[in-house]
Amino acid sequence: MKVFIVGASGYIGGAIADRLVGQGHEVVGLARSAKAAEALGGKGVRAYLGEVGDIERWIDRAVEADAVVFAWRAFDLDTFRETDTTAVRAVLARLAGSEKAFLYVTGSLGTGDTGSATEVDVDTPDDPPVFLAWRSALEAEIRRSSQAGVRSVVVRAPMVYGRASGFIAESLLADVSTSGRVHHVGDGDNLLAFVHVDDLAELCVRAVRTAPAGALYLATNGESLSYRDFAVRASHALGAGGAVASLPLQAALAAMGPFAEALTYSQRLSGAAAGRELGWSPAMHGIDTELRLIKG
Ligand SMILES: NC(=O)c1ccc[n+]([C@@H]2O[C@H](COP(=O)([O-])OP(=O)(O)OC[C@H]3O[C@@H](n4cnc5c(N)ncnc54)[C@H](OP(=O)(O)O)[C@@H]3O)[C@@H](O)[C@H]2O)c1
């Protein structure tokens, strides 16, 4: 199988690329710099130079593959919304009638604040935070493209850890080195859900190979910790002696933008749909082992 990945040099896209290459598939990755292209080449991924926003440059390469994977992001939310929506729609239009796979990797926030009482899977209605309503709508549009002959699949991930890198590792290390403690947003009573990046990659590869058109999966390892408990464990593991502090929501919003609100959500998620339909089950180590690995 030949797979074109947008975001192949990133944390999650990179893990998906590694998995595909490891299973003998041909992978082409969009790279926006010579540095990214070189890194991709070093791990057996053929780089194709281009910016996501310069769609005409790369779209022919993408749609000639057997599958297209979107696992990218831009840090500016307005840029990301505009570029992502335009690029996704362009690719889906070109794939219409082909029955080829289109996989979109996204966050689990579309599932909303689930509360702490019940574990939810893919059959719960979307309830995204306002700043991500566009993404939830785009995900629905992607799934509906199954009616136009695209084998489209959406995979939602909560907090992604693993390889002692990525957002969790970087933000915890920065927090401990600047403040000597680990902060949680608000009271920290909300429940966090997790998935290891290599388990997520395995789910994505299975989805690309065999998921039914229009499918949605939640990638979660089943661990559920309150944000405060997570912060305490991280603080011990990273040598801050268990010291934690609350960052009030207003201060968090000022420091990190609307994403801070999402850090007050409870997410009790189930990956049962992925288990049932794709035979997927998480096999990698849990969050406590990861916290020790981050410390090194
Ligand atoms: N990380 C998490 O905890 C997490 C959790 C849930 C969902 N997600 C979702 O998963 C997706 C991937 O996240 P990630 O953490 O893997 O992101 P990441 O590590 O920041 O990687 C972003 C990727 O996008 C590429 N990129 C950015 N702007 C580009 C542009 N203009 N043209 C071409 N490529 C561009 C980057 O290329 P360079 O290498 O050149 O920078 C990189 O390959 C996102 O949609 C995110 O919402 C992430």
Side-chain angles (χ1 to χ4, degrees):
M1 184 171 58
K2 181 172 172 182
V3 182
F4 186 94
I5 303 181
V6 177
S9 57
Y11 181 50
I12 294 170
I16 297 170
D18 290 344
R19 208 84 178 174
L20 286 164
V21 169
Q23 293 181 13
H25 299 291
E26 184 182 348
V27 182
V28 182
L30 185 67
R32 61 173 164 169
S33 67
K35 188 175 164 218
E38 195 183 323
L40 290 179
K43 55 187 206 166
V45 174
R46 196 142 53 81
Y48 191 78
L49 272 176
E51 285 267 343
V52 180
D54 192 1
I55 300 169
E56 291 311 315
R57 182 173 170 79
W58 54 266
I59 195 164
D60 288 346
R61 286 283 161 282
V63 300
E64 74 182 18
D66 303 301
V68 180
V69 174
F70 264 52
W72 82 292
R73 71 164 150 209
F75 282 96
D76 179 79
L77 273 178
D78 290 334
T79 305
F80 183 49
R81 185 187 67 242
E82 279 168 33
T83 311
D84 195 42
T85 304
T86 307
V88 164
R89 286 181 177 157
V91 172
L92 291 179
R94 289 285 301 275
L95 289 180
S98 69
E99 305 297 341
K100 289 184 177 180
F102 178 87
L103 170 71
Y104 187 77
V105 183
T106 179
S108 57
L109 289 169
T111 304
D113 186 336
T114 67
S116 56
T118 315
E119 204 175 62
V120 308
D121 204 335
V122 293
D123 43 10
T124 185
D126 277 12
D127 186 16
V130 171
F131 77 100
L132 284 177
W134 70 271
R135 204 170 193 195
S136 185
L138 182 64
E139 291 164 26
E141 196 175 323
I142 290 166
R143 295 177 66 199
R144 278 197 305 276
S145 73
S146 58
Q147 295 160 15
V150 183
R151 194 163 60 76
S152 55
V153 191
V154 172
V155 171
R156 288 180 173 169
M159 307 284 273
V160 183
Y161 67 91
R163 301 185 174 200
S165 60
F167 172 75
I168 290 184
E170 286 159 17
S171 53
L172 288 174
L173 286 170
D175 199 6
V176 168
S177 75
T178 55
S179 74
R181 61 195 63 234
V182 174
H183 288 86
H184 51 79
V185 176
D187 60 20
D189 281 339
N190 57 309
L191 297 180
L192 303 180
F194 303 90
V195 68
H196 191 290
V197 70
D198 289 306
D199 282 326
L200 171 60
E202 175 62 21
L203 195 169
C204 289
V205 170
R206 286 173 185 241
V208 164
R209 286 173 40 214
T210 65
L216 169 67
Y217 298 109
L218 292 179
T220 173
N221 69 1
E223 282 186 284
S224 179
L225 294 177
S226 77
Y227 196 173
R228 194 183 325 99
D229 187 8
F230 170 70
V232 170
R233 291 180 193 213
S235 174
H236 279 297
L238 271 60
V244 299
S246 165
L247 185 62
L249 179 57
Q250 287 311 319
L253 286 166
M256 54 178 107
F259 181 66
E261 182 204 339
L263 290 174
T264 66
Y265 278 29
S266 270
Q267 290 222 297
R268 274 203 71 200
L269 307 177
S270 162
R276 210 170 42 243
E277 294 181 15
L278 303 177
W280 176 77
S281 60
M284 300 300 297
H285 61 256
I287 194 70
D288 279 325
T289 300
E290 180 66 14
L291 291 170
R292 288 194 293 275
L293 293 172
I294 290 172
K295 171 75 170 146

